[in-house]
Amino acid sequence: MFSDKEEFKEVFLTRLEMTSGKSFPDSTKRDQYQTLGHMVREYVSMNWINTNERSRMIKQKQVYYLSIEFLLGRLLRNNLLNLGIHKVVEEGLQDLGIELGDLEESEPDAGLGNGGLGRLAACFLDSLASLDLPGHGCGIRYKHGLFEQKIVDGYQVELPEQWLRHGNVWEIRKADSAVEIPFWGRVECSEEEGRLVFRHLPGETVTAVPYDMPVAGYQTETVNTLRLWSAEPSPFPQHKNIMQYKRETELISEFLYPDDTHDEGKILRLKQQYFLVSASIRSIIESFKKQHGNMKDFNQFISIHINDTHPVLAIPELMRILVDEEKMAWEEAWDITVSTISYTNHTTLSEALEKWPIRLFQPLLPRIFMIAEEINKRFCLKLEEKYPGDWERIRSMAIISDGEVKMAHLALAGSHSVNGVAALHTEILKHREMKQFYELYPEKFNNKTNGITHRRWLLNSNPRLAGLISEAIGPGWIKEPQRLGEMAKFAEDSSMLLELELIKEENKQRLARRVKQQTGLSIDTSSIFDIQVKRLHAYKRQLLNVLHIMHMYNRIKEGDSHIQPRTFIFGAKASPGYYYAKKIIKLINTVAEKVNNDPAANKLIKVVFLENYRVSLAEEIFPAADISEQISTASKEASGTGNMKFMMNGALTVGTLDGANVEILERVGEENIFIFGLAAEEVLRYQQNGEYRSMDYYHLDKRISTIINQLTNGFFPYAGDEFESIADSLLMHNDQYFVLRDFDSYAAIQKQAANAYGDRLGWQRKSLMNIAASGHFSSDRTIREYAEEIWHIQPAASHSK
Ligand SMILES: *Cc1c(COP(=O)(O)O)cnc(C)c1O
């Protein structure tokens, strides 16, 4: 469609006029972005068709990654770079007086996820395609992604997000491939040829319409598919009230649930889950049958991965199709199902474990519920055989008990592989959280430490650093990220270290401009940029960071001037119903107000809250960071991936021994990271023996009592009793997340980090060693492990361009 700059310009101008109905001088940035986007999507079409044809021809095993979230962010730059047409397009546009960067700003973030779990799914898609692996995503096309956050008077305000307002240039609606999803109604049982046959007579059906997006790998011919389902009214509604039916139907794909961990007991959420699973499995089976025919071979050619328990109904749904529609015997269907499905666990927080009350589940999904009951019955029989008389164990492992369906137990029983997302997390699953299941199925458990795509998070978002690396070691690291390790040989090369410093400075200036534009604050790029960006959650302990800032402020007010200038930057969305998290946002903004407006302090420290943290903003933040705050209560953060993005961009971690921080430490060595605080075992021991008394720390540490008193004693003039609940959580409720327990060691490590920053070359050397060790945390490594050890899929025999 275009092979050089001149051709590109010609096609672009013609297309622009045709699609916008305006002359070039009258066209807006958005018109130009949309024209370019459509051109790029058409550019991938040829390889997309070829990839699909090839997989049909050579009968290669395919993996489908089912996820309730895909936090994609923007796609233009990623697609241009992966397709290798970035330069042609950038220069062609320049000839026309257009900055590619300006057009990128017109692209809305596809924010179909909350945080780490959704972003992981997006990174995996990039790695699958870039490694030529036949792997596709299945998700929901939410009309509104994660809410947009505004800060008003220091409080979070949520606005509906509108990414589809101007259409989505990357998608193709496939109305012909729509499927009908049944809900409600009853199950009819009859006998046919000596066999009991069950039929679900639905109360209503909903049409699931797929929208396909191409996923192009980095400089390969592989183009995989992300299929997102949209809910529409069925052409044959049986509902008595048509308007109500239409409304309820559209709600299924209207909003992403903005809740990170808690599960709201809403029927709508369960509807979303079954909608995703049923539509995806039907379309997987349809394409499988076209190619292979015999469902007995299903597991040889198809792997289905479920990202956390949200898509776990894939297990009973696949059973339903095999038994009810394909007329397979239960045992055979079960073997196929278990060997097809694999499951990733993302958290050990008990409030995040999904459990559905039978009274909601059974009426909505009557046949699926019957199958879940049958699975449970057989599972419990097996337990009885293995643990005769151990009723307590059987009750606690059952899939259905106490009036609830336990989604994690269904996932453990109905899949052949269960993985945690970092070594520590997997050990905690095996030996604590899922101990009984580990005893029953030791062979199912394995670890797959998370990763991030180094193409988005380094190559695309930090082009100067990427350029320096390519100059130093060649561009091979882009395909083989472990080669970033070769950067270590420049550890004593002061010109390299100065280059690194210069690039960091430029990235800090870019972020400083963004801060100025968004908040009006001027920040000093020679200060340490100390950054904590992630969802707001008690266990992530943004509170520890804020309390420490209050302590630094107090030190300054007491006349301590031995303070390395620092800018503390926060970005975090709180779930709208999460009262405590919202209070912490208000506290951060209140501290910011106090510190930034005090001339005695604001030369040394400043506090910035950047609103609406999301992927595109993150891409500007990571390259500009000196310090990465990864300070969760040990044992609570399953892996973290923000920690990896920071490291890859040369920030040094201040962190606890939690999640993947443990593996980051192993890779960079203790001289290149700042570790503090309780270890996971110590936290777990405290939780068992109940010997922690937060009040002791209040009484014994003057710094702590001063800060906590300041929360409520008028130190913040307009706060009133605003922060009483925070003070209460620390003292009255015994500080569940051990903030006070870790305060002293946090303050000490922060001093150590500040001293280290004073040694400029020394700091850059540490930064270099972080970059060099970061290749291991590329999602290419993670995906290779999934492909080899869980999915057993091979790269397509495609030749790189
Ligand atoms: C990487 C990322 C996350 C996950 O961050 P953690 O620090 O691992 O919790 C969340 N949101 C966005 C936008 C991200 O890019």
Side-chain angles (χ1 to χ4, degrees):
M1 111 173 251
F2 56 89
S3 47
D4 60 22
K5 191 173 79 171
E6 295 309 318
E7 216 175 329
F8 166 76
K9 289 192 307 199
E10 205 181 302
V11 178
F12 178 77
L13 286 176
T14 318
R15 286 301 208 79
L16 179 62
E17 295 192 344
M18 284 187 342
T19 53
S20 72
K22 298 177 194 165
S23 69
F24 172 49
D26 284 345
S27 64
T28 63
K29 293 277 170 258
R30 182 173 302 115
D31 296 329
Q32 296 165 6
Y33 158 71
Q34 295 210 325
T35 302
L36 177 60
H38 281 120
M39 282 173 69
V40 174
R41 199 203 67 214
E42 284 167 35
Y43 190 96
V44 278
S45 293
M46 191 65 87
N47 282 341
W48 200 6
I49 293 166
N50 288 343
T51 302
N52 289 333
E53 291 273 290
R54 193 174 58 213
S55 73
R56 259 196 291 280
M57 302 285 290
I58 61 178
K59 297 202 167 187
Q60 202 185 12
K61 187 173 187 185
Q62 311 276 315
V63 60
Y64 294 88
Y65 194 84
L66 269 53
S67 180
I68 202 91
E69 302 188 4
F70 283 92
L71 188 49
L72 300 167
R74 292 177 175 153
L75 298 170
L76 178 59
R77 173 180 292 251
N78 190 243
N79 280 333
L80 290 174
L81 276 154
N82 281 11
L83 294 168
I85 54 176
H86 183 260
K87 241 187 140 54
V88 169
V89 167
E90 186 165 38
E91 290 173 2
L93 290 173
Q94 242 156 28
D95 286 0
L96 301 172
I98 302 171
E99 279 299 321
L100 176 58
D102 290 343
L103 298 198
E104 286 173 336
E105 291 289 313
S106 292
E107 179 171 8
D109 272 48
L112 311 183
N114 275 292
L117 173 148
R119 186 53 233 173
L120 184 76
C123 284
F124 281 4
L125 292 179
D126 184 67
S127 288
L128 280 163
S130 296
L131 295 171
D132 283 315
L133 290 163
H136 313 281
C138 301
I140 295 177
R141 183 179 177 271
Y142 301 103
K143 186 169 167 200
H144 304 285
L146 184 59
F147 67 84
E148 202 179 299
Q149 179 193 53
K150 286 253 179 287
I151 301 297
V152 178
D153 272 345
Y155 296 101
Q156 166 174 299
V157 173
E158 303 100 29
L159 305 174
E161 189 278 343
Q162 302 266 19
W163 71 297
L164 291 173
R165 189 165 30 194
H166 303 284
N168 172 12
V169 299
W170 307 112
E171 70 188 10
I172 298 182
R173 180 182 165 95
K174 297 266 173 75
D176 289 343
S177 305
V179 293
E180 295 292 304
I181 312 298
F183 291 109
W184 311 108
R186 61 194 177 84
V187 176
E188 192 185 68
C189 177
S190 59
E191 212 184 294
E192 279 174 29
E193 297 164 13
R195 179 190 153 105
L196 279 182
V197 177
F198 296 90
R199 270 184 54 210
H200 178 196
L201 305 171
E204 71 185 44
T205 64
V206 166
T207 304
V209 181
Y211 286 73
D212 286 355
M213 293 165 74
V215 183
Y218 180 77
Q219 294 183 8
T220 81
E221 290 173 6
T222 298
V223 181
N224 293 328
T225 301
L226 170 59
R227 173 160 277 195
L228 299 179
W229 297 94
S230 179
E232 296 182 8
S234 157
F236 326 103
Q238 303 93 330
H239 207 281
K240 38 206 174 312
N241 183 338
I242 268 301
M243 290 312 286
Q244 188 194 347
Y245 165 72
K246 180 173 184 291
R247 193 65 215 123
E248 281 175 11
T249 298
E250 287 167 352
L251 263 181
I252 295 174
S253 57
E254 189 114 330
F255 294 101
L256 165 80
Y257 264 70
D259 208 307
D260 233 350
T261 50
H262 302 247
D263 191 61
E264 291 182 43
K266 294 270 166 63
I267 272 232
L268 180 58
R269 175 74 166 183
L270 190 56
K271 261 187 165 174
Q272 286 185 330
Q273 296 186 352
Y274 184 66
F275 173 79
L276 163 65
V277 154
S278 178
S280 302
I281 293 202
R282 281 158 200 247
S283 90
I284 293 166
I285 289 179
E286 192 185 296
S287 91
F288 169 83
K289 278 189 164 176
K290 267 192 204 145
Q291 195 184 353
H292 303 274
N294 193 343
M295 286 300 289
K296 291 189 189 311
D297 301 334
F298 190 68
N299 55 333
Q300 279 181 49
F301 292 100
I302 304 289
S303 231
I304 295 176
H305 197 88
I306 56 177
N307 193 24
D308 215 323
T309 54
H310 321 121
V312 78
L313 296 178
I315 293 163
E317 175 68 359
L318 186 53
M319 284 301 289
R320 187 191 64 77
I321 293 174
L322 295 176
V323 172
D324 290 358
E325 295 179 12
E326 302 295 328
K327 317 283 182 217
M328 251 182 220
W330 181 277
E331 290 76 14
E332 190 182 10
W334 184 247
D335 288 345
I336 291 176
T337 299
V338 171
S339 65
T340 299
I341 290 181
S342 46
Y343 154 64
T344 297
N345 173 283
H346 282 269
T347 181
T348 55
L349 301 183
S350 55
E351 64 270 29
L353 289 182
E354 288 195 296
K355 292 172 192 151
W356 290 103
I358 293 173
R359 71 187 152 75
L360 299 182
F361 193 125
Q362 184 170 25
L364 183 68
L365 306 167
R367 180 60 185 144
I368 294 299
F369 182 72
M370 285 175 75
I371 291 174
E373 276 188 311
E374 183 67 23
I375 294 173
N376 181 49
K377 194 181 93 192
R378 288 167 186 252
F379 179 64
C380 289
L381 279 173
K382 194 178 137 174
L383 291 178
E384 254 184 84
E385 242 169 64
K386 190 157 165 107
Y387 308 108
D390 193 348
W391 300 111
E392 180 43 37
R393 180 188 291 256
I394 295 168
R395 194 197 55 79
S396 76
M397 293 179 77
I399 295 164
I400 302 176
S401 64
D402 307 321
E404 291 179 321
V405 185
K406 316 264 163 80
M407 304 300 250
H409 296 190
L410 180 54
L412 286 155
S415 64
H416 65 280
S417 168
V418 181
N419 73 280
V421 289
L424 174 65
H425 170 58
T426 301
E427 288 310 301
I428 292 174
L429 288 181
K430 288 189 334 197
H431 302 297
R432 296 187 69 96
E433 253 30 73
M434 297 180 166
K435 185 168 182 286
Q436 294 177 325
F437 282 90
Y438 179 58
E439 283 164 12
L440 181 65
Y441 301 126
E443 72 290 348
K444 289 191 185 185
F445 283 75
N446 62 92
N447 177 58
K448 297 287 169 281
T449 299
N450 280 169
I452 55 166
T453 169
H454 58 288
R455 286 170 291 271
R456 177 177 292 264
W457 296 109
L458 174 52
L459 182 67
N460 302 4
S461 63
N462 197 345
R464 288 201 180 87
L465 178 57
L468 177 69
I469 295 169
S470 290
E471 233 173 76
I473 62 171
W477 64 275
I478 303 171
K479 276 274 169 197
E480 297 170 75
Q482 67 284 6
R483 289 179 60 180
L484 284 170
E486 294 167 29
M487 288 301 287
K489 64 181 180 232
F490 297 97
E492 303 305 325
D493 180 334
S494 54
S495 72
M496 171 64 76
L497 299 179
L498 290 172
E499 281 286 327
L500 273 184
E501 188 178 45
L502 193 67
I503 289 169
K504 185 63 79 184
E505 171 62 22
E506 286 171 347
N507 291 334
K508 286 165 82 172
Q509 282 172 10
R510 180 175 68 157
L511 185 60
R513 283 195 296 276
R514 171 73 57 187
V515 168
K516 179 85 192 168
Q517 177 207 332
Q518 281 199 10
T519 68
L521 269 181
S522 300
I523 57 176
D524 174 8
T525 56
S526 69
S527 67
I528 302 174
F529 277 21
D530 178 330
I531 307 186
Q532 187 170 21
V533 284
K534 46 181 78 253
R535 282 302 287 260
L536 212 139
H537 218 288
Y539 82 82
K540 291 178 184 279
R541 294 201 299 192
Q542 280 92 351
L543 181 57
L544 176 57
N545 191 345
V546 196
L547 295 182
H548 174 252
I549 296 170
M550 290 173 66
H551 164 62
M552 277 184 84
Y553 177 78
N554 292 340
R555 271 171 61 201
I556 294 169
K557 295 299 271 185
E558 284 160 13
D560 185 350
S561 58
H562 296 284
I563 284 182
Q564 184 79 37
R566 246 199 242 227
T567 304
F568 295 94
I569 299 173
F570 291 86
K573 287 179 181 173
S575 185
Y578 192 172
Y579 171 82
Y580 180 81
K582 290 181 145 180
K583 280 282 177 206
I584 304 284
I585 290 182
K586 175 64 176 168
L587 177 61
I588 296 170
N589 286 308
T590 305
V591 171
E593 174 99 6
K594 177 119 188 158
V595 170
N596 300 344
N597 292 311
D598 184 340
N602 65 18
K603 308 276 177 308
L604 292 175
I605 57 173
K606 276 205 176 130
V607 182
V608 177
F609 190 98
L610 276 175
E611 66 187 6
N612 204 27
Y613 179 57
R614 62 196 184 283
V615 172
S616 59
L617 183 57
E619 287 169 10
E620 282 183 39
I621 291 175
F622 293 113
D626 296 309
I627 288 180
S628 155
E629 297 277 349
Q630 306 301 333
I631 58 178
S632 53
T633 309
S635 80
K636 302 289 181 193
E637 185 76 87
S639 163
T641 48
N643 46 4
M644 301 168 186
K645 300 168 199 165
F646 276 111
M647 171 199 200
M648 195 172 270
N649 283 279
L652 273 59
T653 305
V654 167
T656 46
L657 283 174
D658 201 15
N661 296 353
V662 176
E663 289 155 83
I664 291 177
L665 164 66
E666 281 167 15
R667 301 259 154 191
V668 294
E670 58 187 16
E671 65 284 12
N672 298 310
I673 190 168
F674 301 100
I675 296 290
F676 75 98
L678 292 173
E681 280 166 40
E682 296 171 302
V683 169
L684 297 169
R685 201 174 317 131
Y686 266 135
Q687 284 174 337
Q688 262 170 0
N689 65 22
E691 282 170 11
Y692 177 56
R693 297 265 176 278
S694 65
M695 204 54 107
D696 296 348
Y697 293 81
Y698 175 82
H699 287 307
L700 292 172
D701 191 328
K702 188 76 186 12
R703 300 167 301 177
I704 291 177
S705 54
T706 304
I707 306 162
I708 294 189
N709 294 343
Q710 285 171 338
L711 290 175
T712 52
N713 69 5
F715 172 75
F716 300 117
Y718 304 105
D721 57 2
E722 183 86 58
F723 303 125
E724 220 166 78
S725 57
I726 296 178
D728 282 353
S729 77
L730 293 172
L731 301 179
M732 302 303 149
H733 307 304
N734 201 31
D735 182 19
Q736 274 194 58
Y737 294 95
F738 302 92
V739 173
L740 304 187
R741 176 68 179 78
D742 277 348
F743 182 85
D744 177 60
S745 81
Y746 183 59
I749 205 78
Q750 284 286 25
K751 269 196 184 159
Q752 215 176 301
N755 288 338
Y757 192 80
D759 168 11
R760 281 176 52 195
L761 279 188
W763 184 271
Q764 292 307 328
R765 187 174 304 116
K766 293 179 197 298
S767 172
L768 178 86
M769 296 312 285
N770 271 270
I771 297 165
S774 71
H776 179 74
F777 299 101
S778 165
S779 46
D780 286 7
R781 186 268 311 150
T782 313
I783 281 295
R784 274 213 176 85
E785 293 175 4
Y786 276 91
E788 284 168 17
E789 296 162 22
I790 300 179
W791 301 328
H792 307 291
I793 54 169
Q794 308 288 328
S798 118
H799 29 232
S800 292
K801 270 194 280 197

